[in-house]
Amino acid sequence: MAVSGLKHKSLIVHRPILEYILEKNVYPKEHEQLKELREATAQKYREKSIMNVPADEGQFLSMLLKIMNAKKTMEIGVFTGYSLLATALALPEDGQITAIDLDKEAYETGLPFIQKAGVEHKINFIESDAFSVLNDLINGEAEVSFDFIFVDAKKTDYMKYHEQVLKLVKVGGIIAYDNTLWFGSVAYSQEERDEIPESVWRSKEYVIQFNSLLAADHRVESSLVSIGDGVTLCRRLF
């Protein structure tokens, strides 16, 4: 077994297949500002650039949003904003995105590309801890109002986020949790620990517990999609 490479964050470990998908389908259709943002992030952040969703996942999320006819969305965890820009491009002209992250500097790295794409007006970026923003929304008038919520934040907090965002997404709406296969580490045993970077191993059990919680949650139907290093789609049932 080989853990997903930390340089390209894909569970397709046979490199030629991944390159075929990217070169023959993803990159030819990638918006120019998405490409520029992706390249600028890699240049500035190097290994940390994997904190953005990979291009094939961004393409998948964009199509999903269009199929849903989503109009009002939220993103928890933005980094430089590859998935945020992909979302903004997919939403209609009057679409709205609430984007939450403590790292404003990273967001501002991607902001020129968002502006160049002409979609900044769709984004309300909030520099804050997400829990306080979510509590304010729940206590206000925003409860049960979002079509789509994308969560790409600390894995140790996913279970707490789940209870809050379930109150904010519409019945029939989608919550997408990123990294739910966590570089493939969820399938590793204790004996294989040496094959996994310590930074990945530390969060592995939290991801496993979260996946078990989703599988048992009767309030949602879910599908764990093996794109990137796993994204779980949860549709709120009631």
Side-chain angles (χ1 to χ4, degrees):
M1 186 186 296
V3 72
S4 171
L6 295 185
K7 292 184 178 180
H8 54 79
K9 197 165 70 170
S10 172
L11 294 177
I12 301 174
V13 295
H14 190 47
R15 188 72 186 189
I17 297 176
L18 175 63
E19 290 178 351
Y20 180 87
I21 292 171
L22 294 174
E23 297 296 336
K24 300 298 183 182
N25 181 263
V26 178
Y27 292 157
K29 296 178 179 291
E30 186 179 34
H31 192 281
E32 185 62 27
Q33 273 67 66
L34 282 172
K35 178 184 177 182
E36 291 176 359
L37 191 157
R38 173 169 56 81
E39 292 175 344
T41 301
Q43 182 176 9
K44 179 174 181 178
Y45 290 96
R46 300 186 183 277
E47 290 81 5
K48 283 185 65 178
S49 65
I50 61 165
M51 291 172 63
N52 271 335
V53 302
D56 54 340
E57 183 179 340
Q59 182 190 58
F60 169 75
L61 293 174
S62 174
M63 182 172 290
L64 174 65
L65 289 162
K66 292 172 184 175
I67 292 170
M68 292 174 59
N69 292 315
K71 186 174 180 180
K72 186 175 181 181
T73 75
M74 178 189 296
E75 184 158 331
I76 301 173
V78 173
F79 191 43
T80 63
Y82 188 93
S83 55
L84 179 62
L85 177 53
T87 298
L89 289 166
L91 296 188
E93 187 63 22
D94 60 346
Q96 303 173 17
I97 311 167
T98 299
I100 310 166
D101 202 305
L102 280 166
D103 190 351
K104 189 174 183 180
E105 179 184 348
Y107 168 71
E108 290 179 341
T109 298
L111 183 56
F113 307 104
I114 292 171
Q115 293 170 332
K116 189 176 179 180
V119 293
E120 184 185 9
H121 65 283
K122 301 180 186 180
I123 298 168
N124 175 27
F125 177 79
I126 303 173
E127 182 186 5
S128 173
D129 166 75
F131 288 115
S132 60
V133 176
L134 294 174
N135 285 331
D136 288 344
L137 289 171
I138 290 168
N139 294 328
E141 298 179 355
E143 197 162 354
V144 194
S145 67
F146 289 86
D147 302 308
F148 178 85
I149 300 176
F150 184 65
V151 183
D152 185 7
K154 287 184 179 178
K155 312 314 157 198
T156 54
D157 291 332
Y158 268 27
M159 285 193 277
K160 294 178 183 178
Y161 283 132
H162 186 59
E163 292 306 316
Q164 290 186 301
V165 297
L166 265 178
K167 297 175 182 178
L168 293 168
V169 72
K170 294 178 178 178
V171 173
I174 298 291
I175 307 165
Y177 294 100
D178 201 25
N179 313 122
T180 47
L181 293 175
W182 202 224
F183 297 99
S185 67
V186 292
Y188 276 59
S189 65
Q190 183 68 33
E191 291 72 27
E192 298 169 299
R193 179 170 181 171
D194 290 343
E195 300 179 38
I196 301 176
E198 183 60 30
S199 59
V200 173
W201 186 267
R202 282 197 301 268
S203 299
K204 168 181 175 283
E205 288 303 320
Y206 291 100
V207 177
I208 290 173
Q209 292 171 21
F210 180 66
N211 289 338
S212 296
L213 178 147
L214 292 182
D217 192 340
H218 65 283
R219 298 169 296 179
V220 299
E221 58 179 338
S222 62
S223 176
L224 203 172
V225 183
S226 56
I227 194 169
D229 66 333
V231 56
T232 299
L233 305 179
C234 297
R235 177 175 174 268
R236 181 180 170 182
L237 296 176
F238 54 85

